[in-house]
Amino acid sequence: MFLTDFNFDDNEAKVVSSVEERRDKERLAYVPKMCQTEKDFDGDANGRKATADLLFYRKKFDKSIEIYDELLDDKGVKGATIRRDIMESKARALCALGSYCDALEVAETILTSTPDHDDFRIVALALKIDILTEQQKSENTPVTARKLMVSLMRVLSMHPNLSSYWILLAKEYRATSPEYTLACLLLAKQFGSHIMEFGVGDMIQQLKCEHPGLDVGEDTIPARTLDVSLPPDSNGCQQSQDHKGNEDFTDLGR
């Protein structure tokens, strides 16, 4: 059998070529929409959310929170994903204003409402860790430090490959336990990569210089040796009645 025995049809190739040419022309003609003010967005839920986000990035946090609250009160905004996104944005705006208790309350609502899956819980805990980290910068109390450590441990128990969180946990242990600090740094190094080094090697070297002869045994596992139980009010803040429905995210993950 020779190649000349086949009857090749060029129609399909011509169709593909014409589609690619049309797409190339569309790319050349495309002009991105530049949003100069909040009035450039549409009035639907996505447009209002984008407006609030623009205000957030311009550090107009009070105005952004007003829109986030309006969206959360809007019965037409039913999607679990967008409602969770709105609540996280509100929590971050509250955190930026220094309203850490309110921000933690929103984060806790997301956490307790999230589906029973590690991926969703890790995202919610990551928000809580960010808020607690900012709170600790201005309110460095043992209670805040403990909550931050517990949240870090909860994430690492589900996903130990997060080197940056091992480093954060090591910083929390630094003042009280050089052994646990070293254990966390060694785990950060173990789960790290050549792409994101984080300077763990230098941290370990500095710690060993400060504490000659420092070593850790196989049983030195911070997540197993610290009592992570907390009082029922895990945030230590007065609870509010705003937007506390646990049903908001029940359709996530389906």
Side-chain angles (χ1 to χ4, degrees), residues 50 74 80 88 101 117 191 223 225:
D74 188 343
E88 178 174 349
C101 284
H117 191 283
F191 292 115
T225 54

Side-chain angles (χ1 to χ4, degrees), residues 23-223:
R23 288 176 178 173
D24 289 339
K25 290 180 180 179
E26 289 176 351
R27 291 191 189 98
L28 291 173
Y30 173 73
V31 177
K33 180 179 179 181
M34 304 299 292
C35 298
Q36 301 294 334
T37 70
E38 53 269 25
K39 295 181 180 179
D40 292 333
F41 298 104
D42 297 328
D44 59 0
N46 290 326
R48 289 153 63 196
K49 172 65 166 58
T51 299
D53 291 344
L54 179 62
L55 291 168
F56 176 93
Y57 286 116
R58 290 182 172 177
K59 301 186 184 303
K60 298 179 181 180
F61 303 116
D62 287 319
K63 291 184 178 180
S64 68
I65 291 172
E66 289 179 8
I67 300 177
Y68 293 140
D69 282 334
E70 290 175 2
L71 287 166
L72 291 171
D73 287 331
D74 188 343
K75 301 300 181 183
V77 182
K78 298 179 180 179
T81 302
I82 189 172
R83 289 189 67 83
R84 184 208 167 282
D85 189 23
I86 293 168
M87 291 188 72
E88 178 174 349
S89 299
K90 178 183 175 180
R92 294 192 182 279
L94 288 166
C95 181
L97 289 172
S99 301
Y100 301 116
C101 284
D102 292 337
L104 285 170
E105 184 181 340
V106 176
E108 196 66 32
T109 299
I110 296 174
L111 181 59
T112 56
S113 308
T114 198
D116 187 20
H117 191 283
D118 287 355
D119 288 349
F120 292 107
R121 283 193 290 265
I122 288 173
V123 172
L125 284 166
L127 170 62
K128 190 173 181 180
I129 288 169
D130 288 346
I131 297 169
L132 287 168
T133 301
E134 290 301 315
Q135 184 181 26
Q136 194 179 43
K137 292 177 182 178
S138 59
E139 305 171 11
N140 190 9
T141 65
V143 175
T144 303
R146 179 177 173 77
K147 293 175 193 171
L148 178 56
M149 293 171 75
V150 171
S151 297
L152 287 167
M153 288 179 185
R154 290 180 67 184
V155 172
L156 290 168
S157 67
M158 292 181 280
H159 197 329
N161 296 334
L162 299 172
S163 294
S164 59
Y165 279 8
W166 282 117
I167 294 172
L168 286 176
L169 188 57
K171 291 179 180 178
E172 295 303 314
Y173 274 122
R174 191 174 182 87
T176 58
S177 176
E179 292 80 9
Y180 283 178
T181 302
L182 179 58
C184 291
L185 290 176
L186 290 173
L187 287 166
K189 186 177 182 179
Q190 175 184 338
F191 292 115
S193 68
H194 67 283
I195 300 175
M196 301 181 69
E197 169 59 28
F198 295 114
V200 177
D202 293 338
M203 296 180 195
I204 293 174
Q205 187 64 32
Q206 181 180 354
L207 185 65
K208 288 186 174 181
C209 289
E210 295 174 359
H211 302 276
L214 178 64
D215 196 5
V216 294
E218 294 181 357
D219 58 342
T220 309
I221 304 175

